[in-house]
Amino acid sequence: MSASFPPLRDELRGIEPYGAPQMAHDRVPVQLNVNENPYAPSAELAASLANAVSTVALELNRYPDREFVALREQLAGYLNASGGSDITPDMVWAANGSNEVMQQLLQAFGGPGRLALSFAPTYSMYPEYARNTLTEWAVGHREEDFGLDLDRARALVEERRPSIVLLPSPNNPTGTALPPEAVSVLCEAVGDDGLLVVDEAYGEFRRTGTPSALELLPRHRNLVVTRTMSKAFALAGARLGYLAADPAICDALRIVRLPYHLSATTQATASVALSYVDELLAHVDDLRVERDATVSWLRGQGLDVADSDANFVLFGRFADRHAVWQGLVDRGVLIRETGPAGWLRVSIGTADEMTSFRTALTETMESRQERMEEQR
Ligand SMILES: *Cc1c(COP(=O)(O)O)cnc(C)c1O
């Protein structure tokens, strides 16, 4: 027997599965760590979902619509009302979460001998899709304010010739949205040899006046804009992510997708959710207000805070961020230890949850201050 059973790929040996620490709600009741939407579906929406699922249940002996035609039509309609224009159903693709969409993009457009590029700090899942698809991975760097220096970014693209550039906007974990010039400059630098993927998982939370990259689709055929129902739509549990792009890009994804990858229940759930879009997105405005208030409050505490167009805020900087994170956990508030050294990320919850967060952070900072004074 070999010492290394099971016979895993060498580069996967010893790797921990990705995931934020999950803690029981009874131990840590205020959970502000994975950018979920705190507002659960209403009883009326839940009843409609149950109804739709029980209708498709009568046909679950059959495979679902492989082309999810009805859903693509609804998604195109939604995108045209959410920053896009002239988006047709053949420009829409969907999968089980935008994480699956992203992995399919790497399967089709990455692979051995090809390079995927992002700019750090960036979403921590991207290097994992690159690894899974045997795509080489490289990162450039964002500036001090977490924006991009376009000359440096363009130079890096021209030097490395990536097949895929992955850019979250608003960025996770910093909350930074990219200006449209950045998207255009990078699309042109990448050219027809590659794709620029703008990950707008948090697009609906962007501040007034911040445009969506959807507006640029008619001008750049190598631009892909991804969205998800996990954040603004408050449907993380349903697993539905999607993109808008040139129809030829969607066709390429049909080659790598698994057969019938979107289940009949997923299609029905997403379809009902889209018919409740006004109700679901009503809370987005509450969260944006709460986000702006959180940014101001944190700045008022003398902390560094990144501008945010998302439903979370990155703040710091702490000499021992783990101790601050732990201080919050001890007071029943779970946030995320992520981003550059010294920074922490808090997702925006309900007004009550944010009050708990502010109280816990104030107490933690005060008690750490006292301890520092005792040591003197
Ligand atoms: C949360 C998030 C997603 C969404 O992932 P799903 O698979 O759709 O739940 C995508 N990209 C980024 C940057 C995210 O933070």
Side-chain angles (χ1 to χ4, degrees), residues 97-316:
S98 52
N99 275 278
E100 186 176 73
V101 171
M102 213 68 76
Q103 177 145 302
Q104 291 174 339
L105 283 165
L106 275 135
Q107 286 175 316
F109 297 98
R114 291 183 166 216
L115 176 77
L117 175 74
S118 191
F119 294 86
T122 186
Y123 187 37
S124 48
M125 283 307 298
Y126 297 154
E128 308 211 0
Y129 316 138
R131 177 200 70 204
N132 294 351
T133 58
L134 305 175
T135 309
E136 192 190 339
W137 170 247
V139 276
H141 290 279
R142 287 171 177 260
E143 303 302 305
E144 190 90 343
D145 66 355
F146 303 127
L148 278 184
D149 177 314
L150 292 190
D151 290 333
R152 278 182 54 197
R154 186 200 289 118
L156 185 63
V157 167
E158 285 167 358
E159 180 201 329
R160 300 299 309 264
R161 309 293 337 148
S163 298
I164 304 191
V165 176
L166 295 164
L167 274 183
S169 178
N171 186 35
N172 185 3
T174 64
T176 321
L178 288 174
E181 305 86 85
V183 176
S184 287
V185 162
L186 288 173
C187 278
E188 275 157 27
V190 169
D192 272 350
D193 299 336
L195 300 182
L196 175 67
V197 181
V198 179
D199 180 348
E200 290 196 348
Y202 303 97
E204 287 91 346
F205 296 105
R206 65 193 191 276
R207 287 174 292 179
T208 311
T210 304
S212 162
L214 288 171
E215 288 178 16
L216 299 171
L217 278 174
R219 273 198 263 157
H220 302 287
R221 66 175 174 188
N222 61 349
L223 173 62
V224 177
V225 182
T226 63
R227 292 276 184 104
T228 180
M229 289 196 165
S230 297
K231 309 285 163 55
F233 274 83
L235 277 185
R239 312 302 303 129
L240 198 286
Y242 55 105
L243 63 72
D246 189 284
I249 293 175
C250 298
D251 280 342
L253 298 176
R254 290 181 167 87
I255 301 172
V256 298
R257 60 114 178 86
L258 295 173
Y260 310 106
H261 69 292
L262 266 194
S263 81
T265 49
T266 301
Q267 292 183 39
T269 303
S271 185
V272 169
L274 283 161
S275 66
Y276 278 77
V277 65
D278 291 341
E279 176 187 318
L280 284 169
L281 297 184
H283 288 303
V284 166
D285 282 337
D286 302 332
L287 292 166
R288 291 160 88 222
V289 168
E290 202 64 53
R291 176 221 28 230
D292 294 341
T294 303
V295 169
S296 304
W297 182 81
L298 287 164
R299 285 188 177 143
Q301 307 307 298
L303 293 164
D304 288 337
V305 187
D307 283 333
S308 176
D309 277 279
N311 67 337
F312 55 83
V313 177
L314 190 74
F315 64 99

